[in-house]
Amino acid sequence: MAYTVIKGEFHIHYPETPRNGPEPDGDTIKFKPDNRALVENLPRANRPAKFNQKGITTLRFEGVDALETHFRIEGENYHQNMELALAARNQMLATCGFGQVNYFADSPFKVERVEHHPVRGYILTNGLDTYGRVIAFLFVGDHPGTDGTSLFVEPAMLNDSINVDLLRTGLVYPAFYLSLPVELRNHLREITVQARQANLGVWPQATATMQRAATIRSRTELEEAVIWPKLFRRLAAYFSDGFTELSGFETWLREDPVDRDDRLLLPNLELGNMHDLISVCGDSLKLNFNTQDVVVVPDDYVLPQPPKADRHNHIGAGQLRVVAALVDAEGSNEVGGESVTFINTTSTAIDLDGIRLTDNQGGMVLNGTLRAGDTLRLTLPGSVRLNNTGDTITLLDNDNHIIDQVSYTQKDLTGEGFTITF
């Protein structure tokens, strides 16, 4: 499955209004993309991405679920083992490179001061969740490719992500959704197993596993237990509904198959529900399967299309627009057979000097002038070799802003010597 590279900044603090700022935890953070349109055009389940007035949106870490520091139900905060929950948050912030972070004494999740802010980074994402949050793998620094590039992500490419760092240290639980490709899921699963076997992070204290039962007789015992956060959130809602003992939990789950009894792909590849994952005996609860071996299936899950698979989905200001590409040229092993055609959509001539054309692997600098309404078919040098399995073509101005960007996949190629139109 293709992922989109989106560059930007990680934010945990609003200097002008710090008390209204973010409350980072172990698996969410704020992100300001360089190009907002790249986020707005991501595949989504039902809701568009949400941005605040600063152009900042929320990231949800792909593949991980951190212990809750402040989970709100009906205006009331629930939390899990606070020592481990804060350890995950602090590990994430340290890995990002924020340096010293200070919180308000009377509002311990709000950042009062931070040493380095914002932090430059990028994400790999294949879409939004049901709440409009970007689901992503997070990386510190800059990606060498063009912003908005569509990549086929291989497992080793995730090893430098903050997500993998958290799983490797054992400070988070795995949370694998059906939108996560199997190859990547298996890679993250192996990292989780290694952390469990090494007794790192949450694992020495974990209860409600296949081996150890969790005794939960009250909200206090629930908040002290170290259990899969997704299960904790269901239990917190159960106790919030007024229940005082655990024995009715399975029945309560089954009563609402949409908001409570989550659909799960079980290890035997059968489609089950949250109630199939648990066994309740009196005030004790155990799991029937390890959390790294189940896959969450959202109720409104729709198989997402690769980002920008629609070749007519142009990103950018559009003064110059890519209208065609000859990708699989006859004798394509020879340099110089491929070409890209673009048009001046404005009413005046455009100076091409300094404008760059790039694909996923390389680029070239243009020159000359293109008159209003004219097209230019540009034969590509060896530094730009369009990939027959899919690629992203981008025009960038002198300030590295996207003028136009299109993508294609292998299925768009109709044969050797045929031109793709956008």
Side-chain angles (χ1 to χ4, degrees), residues 187-214:
H187 183 62
L188 300 183
R189 180 189 179 279
E190 289 305 311
I191 293 170
T192 301
V193 169
Q194 292 170 14
R196 291 190 76 155
Q197 291 175 343
N199 258 345
L200 300 177
V202 302
W203 300 116
Q205 300 181 54
T207 56
T209 66
M210 293 181 67
Q211 295 75 33
R212 296 177 61 191

Side-chain angles (χ1 to χ4, degrees), residues 4-7 33-43 49 51 55 128 147-148 308 313-317 402 405:
T4 300
V5 177
I6 303 180
K7 303 180 182 183
D34 293 344
N35 186 345
R36 176 170 171 162
L38 295 176
V39 173
E40 292 173 333
N41 283 279
L42 289 171
F51 289 86
L128 310 177
D147 199 14
K308 295 183 289 298
N313 186 11
H314 292 258
I315 301 294
I402 295 176
Q405 183 177 79

